[in-house]
Amino acid sequence: MDNTQQHIQLLINHINQDVSLDEYAINKLSSFLVFNELNKKEFLIKPGETANSMNFIVQGCMRSYYLDENAQEHTLQLGIEEWWINDLYSYLSRKQSRMYVQALEKTLLIQLPRLELEKLYIEVPEISHFFRIKIQNAYVAVQERVIDSMSDDAYERYDNFRKAYRDIEQRVPQYIIASYLGVTPEFLSYLRKKHS
Amino acid sequence: MDNTQQHIQLLINHINQDVSLDEYAINKLSSFLVFNELNKKEFLIKPGETANSMNFIVQGCMRSYYLDENAQEHTLQLGIEEWWINDLYSYLSRKQSRMYVQALEKTLLIQLPRLELEKLYIEVPEISHFFRIKIQNAYVAVQERVIDSMSDDAYERYDNFRKAYRDIEQRVPQYIIASYLGVTPEFLSYLRKKHS
DNA sequence: ACCGGTTCTTAAGATACCTTAAGTTTTTTC
DNA sequence: GAAAAAACTTAAGGTATCTTAAGAACCGGT
C-alpha cells in the first residue's frame, strides 16, 4: 500500500467511526479526493475567498483566525491530524470568508470539493449523514465556545482550553493560544507563572 | 378566518420567504402543529429536559439562558414574533439541555415535534431545505456571537447588540441585556449614561 | 556554530469592569 | 390606587486585564 492509499485509508477509517461505508461508497468517495500540501505559514483560505471544500488534516497543524479593526488576531479554531478545518460559515453560506485558514506546520490535507460532495450526498446517504453529524458537532463546539467565553476568569478559560485541546497545546505558540483565549500574550504568561 | 388559521398562516408565510410550499406541503405541515401558550416567566425548557420540537413565536417574547457555577445568568438568545426559539444543541444532539428557555411576556408558540417533523422531511423536501437554512443561519449567528464577544469593548458590544436586536431592545429588561453582553447591570447603566 | 528572527517573560503604570451598598424609579399585584 | 416587588442608577473602592517597553530564551537557516 503506497502513501496515498494509506492517507485515504485514514480518512475512510475516520468516517467509519460515525457511519458505515460500503465498497461502492468508498470508491465513489475516493474518486474525487484532492491532496493539498501546505508549507508552514501558508494559507488555505484568505479573506475575500470562498471556502469550497471540506478539508481533512492527514498530517500537520492548522488554525483559523480573523483580524479585528485593530489588526488583532483572534484564533477561532485549531486542528491537527484527523480533524477537519474550514471556514464553515463561508462553506455553508457560499459567501466570502472573513477568515484566514493557515498551516502552523507543514501540513497535508485531503480536500473534498463542495460540488462533487453534494452530488455524492444523493448517491451515498451515509456520507450525507456523516457531514450532518460533523456540522452538528461544529454547532455544538461554537456554542460551547460562547458559553466558555462568558466565564470571564481567564485562567479558567485557559484550563478549559487545555482540556479541550490536550494534544494541540504543545504544538502551537503561546501567542496563538492567547489569541484564542482573548487575552494578551503577556497576560497569559503572567497567568501561567502565577498558577505553576 | 379564525385566530388559529391566522396564526398558521403567519408560519406558512414565514416559511415561504425561503422556500415554496404547495397545497400538499401546507396540509401535511398543518396537521401536526401544536399550539402552546406560556405565561410571563414560564419555562419552555429547563435543564435536564430534552428539546424535542422546533418552536415558532406567534406572539410574545422569549429568551434562552444558562446559569454558571456562581448562579449568574447568561442570556444566549432572544426572540420575538416570527423568530424561532430553542436549545438547538439539545434538539440536534438529543442530549439533555443545560438551558432555560423562558417567556419574557405572555407568549404564543407553534411547535413542530421532532419525530413528526423528521417524517415530514422525507415527504416534503422543501421543509427539510427550510430547516437546513435555519440551522445554517443559527450556526452563523453563534459564530458572529463568538467574534463579537471577542471585541472586548463592552460599549461596542452593546452597540452591536442594538443593531442586531433593534426591535427587541425596548421589550426586555436591561439586566437581561447585560447578561447577554456579559457585563453587570450596574456597568451597563454606567455605559448608557456615559454615551448618552 | 552562529546570526537574525520569532516567541516568551517581567514589570510598572493605566484602564475597564466588578462588587457592594444604598437610594430611586418603574412595574406588578391585590 | 396602595403596597410590594422588580428593575435601574449612582458612587466608592477593588481587581483583572491591558499597554508599553525591555530583555531573555528559543528557534531556523546558512
Side-chain angles (χ1 to χ4, degrees):
Chain A
M1 193 155 80
D2 68 6
N3 265 353
T4 299
Q5 276 310 312
Q6 266 185 317
H7 298 331
I8 293 178
Q9 198 54 50
L10 188 71
L11 172 61
I12 304 293
N13 291 345
H14 170 80
I15 296 175
N16 270 329
Q17 286 174 14
D18 285 314
V19 298
S20 227
L21 298 183
D22 58 21
E23 191 89 14
Y24 172 78
I26 291 172
N27 287 336
K28 277 283 181 184
L29 176 66
S30 302
S31 69
F32 65 79
L33 301 177
V34 177
F35 281 84
N36 192 356
E37 187 147 23
L38 299 171
N39 287 318
K40 187 169 177 173
K41 301 203 175 173
E42 202 177 331
F43 293 103
L44 175 65
I45 298 169
K46 284 186 185 181
E49 299 173 6
T50 303
N52 53 15
S53 63
M54 285 292 188
N55 314 294
F56 179 77
I57 303 176
V58 173
Q59 173 62 52
C61 182
M62 304 209 42
R63 70 156 168 164
S64 68
Y65 69 96
Y66 76 101
L67 296 181
D68 69 16
E69 327 74 65
N70 308 315
Q72 293 282 356
E73 291 182 3
H74 294 277
T75 298
L76 288 176
Q77 215 198 328
L78 293 166
I80 55 172
E81 291 78 21
E82 298 179 57
W83 293 48
W84 297 85
I85 188 87
N86 213 343
D87 176 2
L88 207 49
Y89 162 62
S90 172
Y91 179 89
L92 292 174
S93 68
R94 298 172 204 183
K95 290 182 189 155
Q96 290 187 353
S97 178
R98 285 178 298 168
M99 303 288 162
Y100 294 89
V101 179
Q102 182 190 37
L104 298 178
E105 306 170 359
K106 186 168 188 173
T107 297
L108 179 63
L109 295 175
I110 297 180
Q111 299 187 285
L112 291 71
R114 185 173 60 75
L115 291 178
E116 297 176 82
L117 189 54
E118 284 181 358
K119 273 185 238 149
L120 188 66
Y121 285 169
I122 295 161
E123 300 172 66
V124 185
E126 285 75 22
I127 297 282
S128 173
H129 185 213
F130 173 79
F131 281 103
R132 220 181 244 255
I133 291 172
K134 284 292 152 192
I135 289 167
Q136 207 166 282
N137 290 348
Y139 178 83
V140 171
V142 182
Q143 172 120 323
E144 304 244 294
R145 191 133 161 61
V146 174
I147 291 177
D148 192 53
S149 74
M150 283 178 156
S151 115
D152 47 20
D153 178 342
Y155 188 75
E156 197 175 314
R157 257 146 54 213
Y158 177 52
D159 227 45
N160 289 342
F161 170 83
R162 298 210 291 187
K163 281 174 200 144
Y165 285 97
R166 201 158 320 153
D167 304 323
I168 296 190
E169 193 199 347
Q170 297 79 5
R171 274 169 83 168
V172 309
Q174 275 177 36
Y175 78 89
I176 288 182
I177 298 178
S179 87
Y180 180 97
L181 297 174
V183 297
T184 58
E186 293 86 354
F187 189 59
L188 179 56
S189 179
Y190 163 78
L191 286 178
R192 282 160 53 81
K193 187 183 183 194
K194 188 171 134 197
H195 287 85
S196 63
Chain B
M1 192 155 80
D2 66 7
N3 265 351
T4 299
Q5 276 309 313
Q6 267 186 314
H7 299 330
I8 292 178
Q9 198 55 50
L10 189 71
L11 172 62
I12 305 293
N13 291 345
H14 170 80
I15 295 175
N16 269 328
Q17 287 175 13
D18 285 314
V19 297
S20 227
L21 299 183
D22 58 20
E23 190 89 16
Y24 173 77
I26 291 172
N27 287 336
K28 277 283 180 184
L29 176 66
S30 302
S31 70
F32 64 79
L33 300 177
V34 177
F35 281 85
N36 191 356
E37 187 148 23
L38 299 170
N39 286 318
K40 186 168 179 174
K41 302 204 173 171
E42 201 176 331
F43 293 102
L44 175 64
I45 298 170
K46 284 187 186 180
E49 299 173 8
T50 303
N52 54 15
S53 64
M54 285 292 189
N55 313 294
F56 179 76
I57 302 176
V58 173
Q59 173 63 52
C61 182
M62 303 207 43
R63 69 155 169 166
S64 68
Y65 70 95
Y66 76 99
L67 296 181
D68 69 16
E69 328 72 66
N70 308 315
Q72 294 282 355
E73 289 181 4
H74 295 276
T75 298
L76 288 176
Q77 214 198 331
L78 292 166
I80 56 172
E81 291 77 22
E82 299 179 56
W83 294 47
W84 297 85
I85 188 88
N86 213 345
D87 176 2
L88 208 48
Y89 162 62
S90 172
Y91 179 90
L92 292 174
S93 68
R94 299 174 204 181
K95 290 181 189 158
Q96 289 188 354
S97 177
R98 284 177 298 169
M99 304 288 163
Y100 294 88
V101 180
Q102 183 191 37
L104 298 176
E105 304 171 359
K106 187 170 188 173
T107 298
L108 179 62
L109 296 175
I110 298 181
Q111 300 186 284
L112 290 71
R114 185 173 59 75
L115 291 177
E116 296 176 80
L117 189 55
E118 285 181 356
K119 271 185 239 150
L120 189 65
Y121 284 169
I122 296 162
E123 299 171 65
V124 185
E126 285 75 22
I127 297 282
S128 173
H129 184 213
F130 173 79
F131 281 103
R132 221 181 245 254
I133 292 172
K134 284 293 151 192
I135 289 168
Q136 208 166 281
N137 290 348
Y139 178 83
V140 171
V142 182
Q143 173 121 320
E144 305 245 292
R145 190 132 161 63
V146 174
I147 290 176
D148 192 53
S149 74
M150 281 178 160
S151 115
D152 45 20
D153 178 344
Y155 188 74
E156 198 176 312
R157 257 149 51 215
Y158 178 51
D159 226 45
N160 290 342
F161 170 83
R162 297 208 292 187
K163 281 174 200 144
Y165 285 98
R166 200 158 319 150
D167 304 323
I168 296 190
E169 192 200 347
Q170 297 78 4
R171 275 169 83 168
V172 309
Q174 275 175 35
Y175 77 89
I176 288 181
I177 298 178
S179 86
Y180 180 97
L181 298 174
V183 297
T184 57
E186 292 86 354
F187 189 60
L188 178 56
S189 179
Y190 163 79
L191 287 177
R192 282 161 54 82
K193 188 183 182 192
K194 188 171 133 197
H195 288 85
S196 66

